[in-house]
Amino acid sequence: PEGQHLEAGTLYALTFLPGYANNDVLCSASSEKTGKYYRSNSALDLDGDGNISIADLTKRVQGKYQEMYNAWT
């Protein structure tokens, strides 16, 4: 909706796995349903807990932002 603010991790989730973007955990290594997404993108599991979560995606975006900021300063 107009004027609604999306957090970086949620925006990432909408492009990564849009059908799961409303969940805190988007995919899990142990899930029959989402395990294939996890295995293909396990590098996004930044805390190594076997899940790719909104928090992981937020950290990923923040890390990339910091890399770009540092490269230009």
Side-chain angles (χ1 to χ4, degrees), residues 7 10 12-13 23 29 31 33 38 43 45 47 51 58 63-65 73:
E7 297 294 328
T10 303
Y12 196 148
N23 302 331
S31 170
K33 194 172 188 180
Y38 179 88
D45 180 8
D47 58 9
N51 300 308
T58 299
K64 289 296 180 182
Y65 174 82
T73 56

Side-chain angles (χ1 to χ4, degrees), residues 16 25-27 38 41-42 44-45 50-54 56-57:
F16 172 54
V25 173
L26 302 170
C27 56
Y38 179 88
N41 297 280
S42 60
L44 295 175
D45 180 8
N51 300 308
I52 297 174
S53 65
I54 297 287
D56 289 321
L57 298 181

Side-chain angles (χ1 to χ4, degrees), residues 11-27:
L11 182 58
Y12 196 148
L14 285 167
T15 60
F16 172 54
L17 283 173
Y20 298 92
N22 288 328
N23 302 331
D24 288 335
V25 173
L26 302 170
C27 56

Side-chain angles (χ1 to χ4, degrees), residues 58-73:
T58 299
K59 289 176 193 171
R60 174 80 172 173
V61 171
Q62 289 171 340
K64 289 296 180 182
Y65 174 82
Q66 192 63 47
E67 283 179 31
M68 294 302 296
Y69 179 81
N70 291 342
W72 290 98
T73 56

